[in-house]
Amino acid sequence: MVIADFEAGIGTITRLDEQKLDLVLVVVEPTPKSIEVGSRAADLAREKSLGRVIVVANRIRGEDDLAMIRSAMPGHEVVAIPDDRAIVEADRLGVSPLDLPDYGPAVAALVELAGSLPQVPDGPAGPGTYRSTQL
């Protein structure tokens, strides 16, 4: 399995022709521009039948943020990741949020999301590992 972190926008998705992907995660923040681009990306991935599409609603500060994203993404599976000071603190310390003694609700939500994803075969780094690629 390859996990790819694409540049913002839909350019990469428009260039994927007849390719099947296990999963497309579209990360959206509760801002008008992010929602506009994310909505276009999620819709295009669905139109092209690229694979399962999950919209990751990132940095959610309340029900209004989540409702705004859900209303813009009808028919898409939406997973909420709360805004979390622990992420900022980990970045400031130069460590993974998982390495903090008390990681916060965002990491817990991400761990839950990861646990819901399809199992992967053994990868180059060992059993059940992912190969991550930034394109």
Side-chain angles (χ1 to χ4, degrees):
M1 180 180 286
V2 175
I3 298 175
D5 180 5
F6 298 121
E7 63 187 49
I10 64 167
T12 302
I13 291 177
T14 63
R15 293 186 292 275
L16 292 174
D17 292 324
E18 297 182 28
Q19 296 183 11
K20 288 293 181 195
L21 306 172
D22 296 310
L23 178 68
V24 177
L25 293 174
V26 178
V27 179
V28 178
E29 294 198 359
T31 65
K33 184 66 175 173
S34 181
I35 291 171
E36 175 193 347
V37 173
S39 179
R40 290 174 48 210
D43 289 346
L44 186 56
R46 185 183 350 186
E47 286 171 24
K48 290 180 149 226
S49 300
L50 295 178
R52 179 180 171 199
V53 177
I54 298 176
V55 175
V56 179
N58 194 35
R59 301 186 78 182
I60 299 301
R61 291 176 298 276
E63 284 301 317
D64 290 346
D65 285 351
L66 188 55
M68 182 172 42
I69 291 172
R70 282 197 170 128
S71 71
M73 308 281 180
H76 289 290
E77 181 179 354
V78 178
V79 175
I81 308 299
D83 196 28
D84 188 346
R85 295 177 60 109
I87 301 291
V88 176
E89 178 67 11
D91 190 37
R92 187 182 65 75
L93 296 171
V95 300
S96 167
L98 289 170
D99 293 334
L100 294 176
D102 295 315
Y103 61 78
V107 173
L110 289 166
V111 167
E112 184 177 332
L113 172 61
S116 73
L117 301 180
Q119 295 295 315
V120 296
D122 292 351
T129 60
Y130 295 86
R131 183 178 70 184
S132 178
T133 305
Q134 185 167 14
L135 302 175

